[in-house]
């Protein structure tokens, strides 16, 4: 970009130089007017003359007489020549996507068969003799003493204190808060929403879908049948004789003393006074001889009482009785039985199986690629602006004012009252009793039995397995790169126009401030001193005569 700007600046400067007029129109008389390269020389007027002859047969423009160094005013202003353009070919650069083939290292799976050694554990069953201790239960009768708690009810006096509620009226003072409302003026600032419509620009991302070709590698499953060896455990059942012990319940009759309670009628002696013999008490309801009163109808007291009468009462009697019962006792018996024993033997067999192998397959597919392209759009939206507005409002203000008041209330007081009550109390009294019970004891018994013992032995075997190795392979892949490509373009370049021999600019008369007297020089005097004695300054902007007439 900098190189292009520099080239454009140089071309523009050259065009400006080419279009610069040959007449001296600068300040200070730096550029001098040269001859128009016509056949007839321009008539030179002396200083102070009133006219200058025009070259090339053009009517002479009258000029006012002026001393040397004074500007001669022209009648008509000169016209600048129009620029011309030429065609030029330039080289520019642009970015392009280039697709090419590059080598890529790819890991491929290669399967191979190899032999390996492994250890297999084989069970071996043997019969061993072991000593086993068994426990048998032996029952026996054991007397024991136990205590029974019997309940007895007794009435006891208890002192109980209870609380009674006694109401009481009292006067109390309290403060009540009442509401008092007053109106106050307050300044309130409210925000008002003012809608405003504005135009805004936004960028919208649109989706552009293109189709690209890509190379993909897929794995295809290829089935393969192979032969393999395997070990199978075959069960073998044999009958073996074993001795087993089992327990049998045998009924046994046992004799036992049991306490039995029964009711027995017992005679009780009574006297005619209705009092039991040998005791004292209230007189009987019916007194035959006046009873024990001080004055008896019969004249006697208890000494003259009648003969005692006989009555019967029920009494509980406990006695021991012999009872026979049947008890089941456990006895151990031995029996020899044939038991099927299953063992496993190892058998090697051969079979076939299908093994799937993954084979990579490469193919080219069309893949849609979606890219986001930004698109600038313009829309209109309404924007709400919040403007604060201040106003004065009357606000009711409520305050709480305390007011003292007096009231009455009833207060309940708890007063303790003590009373005596009879409470029935149940007490437990221990009573010792004796009985017998059956106690089972465990007795150890030792015997020898045959036990199958299985041990495992290690056997080394050889097999074949498939191993997959990753092998690096060179493949050609299609890669897209971004490269810089030069291209040519034709443009229009401005070119300086040639200066006319006869015309406004480049004429024999010098237009401009600070020019000489307008004297014309012949073609032979290009670069020499002008008529007024001013020397032409050579340089880039020094335009002498036409290149066809001057060197």
């Amino acid at each position: 970009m900098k190189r292009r700007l520099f080239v454009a600046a140089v071309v523009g400067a050259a065009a400006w130089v080419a279009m610069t007029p040959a007449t001296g129109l600068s300040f200070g008389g730096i550029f001098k007017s040269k001859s128009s390269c016509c056949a007839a020389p321009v008539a030179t007027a002396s200083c102070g003359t009133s006219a200058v002859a025009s070259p090339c047969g053009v009517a002479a423009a009258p000029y006012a007489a002026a001393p040397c160094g004074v500007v001669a005013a022209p009648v008509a202003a000169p016209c600048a020549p129009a620029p011309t353009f030429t065609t030029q070919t330039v080289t520019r650069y642009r970015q392009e996507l280039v697709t090419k083939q590059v080598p890529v290292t790819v890991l491929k799976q290669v399967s191979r068969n190899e032999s390996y050694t492994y250890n297999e554990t084989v069970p071996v069953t043997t019969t061993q003799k072991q000593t086993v201790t068994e426990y048998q239960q032996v029952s026996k009768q054991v007397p024991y003493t136990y205590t029974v708690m019997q309940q007895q009810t007794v009435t006891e006096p208890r002192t109980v204190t209870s609380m009674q509620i006694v109401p009481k009226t009292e006067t109390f003072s309290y403060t009540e808060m009442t509401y008092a409302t007053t109106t106050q003026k307050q300044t309130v600032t409210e925000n008002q929403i003012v809608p405003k419509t504005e135009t805004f620009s936004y960028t919208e991302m649109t989706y552009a879908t293109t189709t690209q070709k890509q190379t993909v590698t897929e794995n295809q499953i290829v089935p393969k049948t192979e032969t393999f060896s395997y070990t199978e455990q075959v069960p073998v059942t044999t009958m073996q004789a074993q001795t087993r012990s089992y327990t049998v319940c045998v009924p046994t009759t046992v004799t036992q003393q049991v306490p039995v309670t029964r009711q027995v009628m017992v005679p009780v002696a009574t006297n005619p006074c209705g009092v039991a013999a040998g005791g004292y008490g209230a007189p009987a309801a019916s007194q035959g001889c006046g009873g024990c009163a001080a004055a008896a109808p019969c004249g006697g007291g208890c000494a003259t009482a009648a003969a005692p009468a006989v009555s019967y009462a029920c009494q509980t009697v406990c006695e021991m009785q012999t009872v026979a019962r049947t008890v089941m006792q456990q006895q151990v018996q031995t029996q020899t039985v044939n038991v099927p024993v299953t063992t496993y033997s190892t058998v090697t067999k051969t079979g076939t199986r299908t093994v799937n192998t993954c084979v990579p397959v490469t193919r080219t597919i069309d893949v849609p690629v979606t890219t986001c392209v930004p698109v600038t759009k313009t829309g209109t939206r309404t924007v709400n602006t919040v403007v604060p507005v201040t106003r004065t409002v009357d606000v009711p203000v409520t305050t709480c004012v305390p007011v003292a008041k007096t009231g009455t209330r009833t207060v309940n007081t708890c007063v303790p009252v003590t009373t005596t009550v009879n409470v029935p109390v149940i007490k437990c009294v221990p009573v010792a009793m004796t009985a017998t019970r059956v106690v089972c004891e465990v007795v150890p018994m030792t015997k020898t039995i045959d036990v199958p013992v299985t041990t495992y032995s290690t056997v080394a075997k050889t097999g074949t397995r498939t191993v997959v190795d990753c092998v690096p392979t060179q493949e050609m892949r299609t890669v897209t790169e971004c490269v810089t490509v030069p291209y040519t373009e034709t443009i229009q370049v401005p070119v300086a126009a040639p200066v006319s021999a006869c015309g406004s600019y480049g004429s024999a008369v010098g237009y401009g401030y600070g020019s000489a007297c307008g004297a014309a020089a012949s073609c032979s005097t290009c670069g020499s001193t002008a008529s007024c004695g001013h020397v032409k300054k050579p340089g880039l902007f020094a335009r002498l005569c036409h290149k066809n007439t001057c060197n």
Side-chain angles (χ1 to χ4, degrees):
M1 182 59 71
K2 293 182 178 180
R3 179 179 296 179
R4 295 177 184 176
L5 293 177
F6 180 74
V7 172
V10 172
V11 173
W16 182 78
V17 170
M19 291 186 294
T20 304
T23 57
L25 298 176
S26 62
F27 293 93
I30 297 178
F31 305 109
K32 298 298 182 292
S33 175
K34 300 303 177 179
S35 62
S36 62
C37 301
C38 298
V42 178
T44 303
S46 63
C47 295
T49 58
S50 60
V52 178
S54 64
C56 302
V58 182
Y63 291 89
C68 294
V70 181
V71 177
V75 176
C79 297
T84 60
F85 293 88
T86 183
T87 302
Q88 184 177 353
T89 302
V90 296
T91 302
R92 295 183 178 177
Y93 297 88
R94 62 189 174 191
Q95 304 290 331
E96 292 185 358
L97 296 177
V98 178
T99 303
K100 63 179 181 179
Q101 298 286 333
V102 297
V104 179
T105 302
V106 180
L107 295 178
K108 291 188 175 181
Q109 294 182 353
V110 179
S111 60
R112 59 184 176 86
N113 294 328
E114 67 175 9
S115 300
Y116 69 100
T117 303
Y118 63 94
N119 293 328
E120 182 178 334
T121 302
V122 179
V124 179
T125 303
T126 58
T127 303
Q128 296 182 3
K129 292 184 178 295
Q130 291 185 4
T131 302
V132 179
T133 300
E134 295 182 353
Y135 292 86
Q136 294 183 357
Q137 292 183 355
V138 178
S139 59
K140 64 177 180 178
Q141 296 288 335
V142 177
Y144 71 100
T145 302
Y146 62 96
T147 302
V148 177
M149 301 299 292
Q150 293 182 356
Q151 295 181 354
Q152 294 182 359
T153 303
V154 180
T155 301
E156 295 182 356
R158 298 287 178 88
T159 302
V160 179
T161 301
S162 60
M163 303 299 291
Q164 292 184 359
I165 298 175
V166 178
K168 178 183 178 183
T169 302
E170 65 179 8
T171 303
F172 70 99
S173 300
Y174 64 95
T175 301
E176 182 177 300
M177 301 299 292
T178 59
Y179 294 99
T181 303
T182 59
T183 302
Q184 296 182 2
K185 292 186 177 294
Q186 292 186 2
T187 302
V188 180
T189 301
E190 298 178 348
N191 291 326
Q192 293 184 358
I193 298 176
V194 179
K196 178 182 178 183
T197 303
E198 63 177 14
T199 304
F200 69 99
S201 299
Y202 63 94
T203 302
E204 182 177 312
M205 302 300 292
T206 59
Y207 294 98
T209 303
T210 58
T211 303
Q212 295 182 3
K213 292 186 178 295
Q214 290 186 2
T215 303
V216 295
T217 301
E218 298 178 350
N219 291 325
Q220 292 185 359
I221 298 175
V222 178
K224 178 183 177 182
T225 303
E226 63 178 11
T227 304
F228 70 100
S229 299
Y230 63 95
T231 303
E232 182 177 334
Q233 299 289 331
V234 178
V236 179
T237 304
T238 58
M239 301 299 293
Q240 295 183 5
Q242 293 185 3
T243 302
R244 293 184 178 181
S245 299
Y246 61 94
T247 302
V248 179
C249 291
V250 178
T252 304
T253 302
V254 179
T255 302
Q256 185 179 2
Q257 295 290 328
V258 177
V260 177
T261 302
R262 60 190 181 89
Q263 298 290 331
V264 180
M265 299 299 292
V266 180
V268 178
T270 57
N271 55 15
C273 294
V275 181
Y280 297 94
S286 176
Q287 298 178 357
C289 298
C292 297
C298 297
C302 291
T304 61
V310 178
S311 62
Y312 293 88
C314 292
Q315 183 178 358
T316 302
V317 178
C318 182
E319 59 184 8
M320 300 301 293
Q321 293 184 4
T322 302
V323 179
R325 63 176 181 174
T326 302
V327 180
M328 302 300 292
Q329 292 185 356
Q330 295 181 354
Q331 295 183 3
V332 179
Q333 296 182 4
T334 303
Q335 181 182 5
T336 300
V337 295
N338 292 325
V339 179
V341 177
T342 301
T343 58
Y344 290 88
S345 61
T346 304
V347 178
T348 302
K349 295 184 179 181
T350 304
T352 58
R353 61 186 174 188
T354 301
V355 180
N356 293 327
T357 306
C358 292
V359 178
V361 178
T362 303
R363 65 188 182 93
T364 303
I365 62 174
D366 293 333
V367 179
V369 179
T370 303
T371 57
C372 291
V373 180
V375 177
T376 303
K377 294 185 180 180
T378 304
T380 304
R381 62 186 175 189
T382 302
V383 180
N384 293 326
T385 306
V386 179
V387 179
V389 177
T390 304
R391 63 188 183 93
T392 303
V393 296
D394 293 333
V395 179
V397 178
T398 302
T399 57
C400 291
V401 179
V403 177
K405 293 184 178 181
T406 303
T408 58
R409 61 186 174 188
T410 301
V411 180
N412 292 325
T413 305
C414 292
V415 178
V417 177
T418 304
T419 58
T420 302
V421 295
N422 295 323
V423 179
V425 178
I426 298 176
K427 294 184 178 181
C428 293
V429 179
V431 177
M433 301 183 71
T434 304
T436 58
R437 60 186 174 186
V438 179
V439 178
C440 295
E441 294 182 355
V442 179
V443 179
M445 295 181 64
T446 304
K447 66 178 181 178
T448 302
I449 62 174
D450 293 334
V451 179
V453 178
T454 301
T455 58
Y456 292 89
S457 61
T458 303
V459 178
K461 294 186 179 182
T462 303
T464 304
R465 61 186 174 189
T466 301
V467 181
V468 178
D469 297 333
C470 293
V471 179
T473 306
Q474 292 288 339
E475 291 184 358
M476 299 302 293
R477 295 289 179 88
T478 303
V479 179
T480 302
E481 294 183 353
C482 184
V483 297
T484 303
V485 179
Y487 69 96
T488 59
E489 185 178 354
T490 303
I491 61 175
Q492 297 291 327
V493 180
V495 180
V499 180
S500 176
C502 299
S504 59
Y505 284 91
S507 63
V509 180
Y511 303 100
Y513 294 95
S515 65
C517 294
S522 62
C523 293
S524 61
T525 60
C526 291
S528 61
T529 305
S531 62
C532 290
H534 294 279
V535 180
K536 172 64 179 177
K537 293 184 180 181
L540 178 63
F541 301 94
R543 301 300 299 270
L544 302 178
C545 294
H546 197 273
K547 65 181 179 179
N548 296 328
T549 58
C550 299
N551 294 329

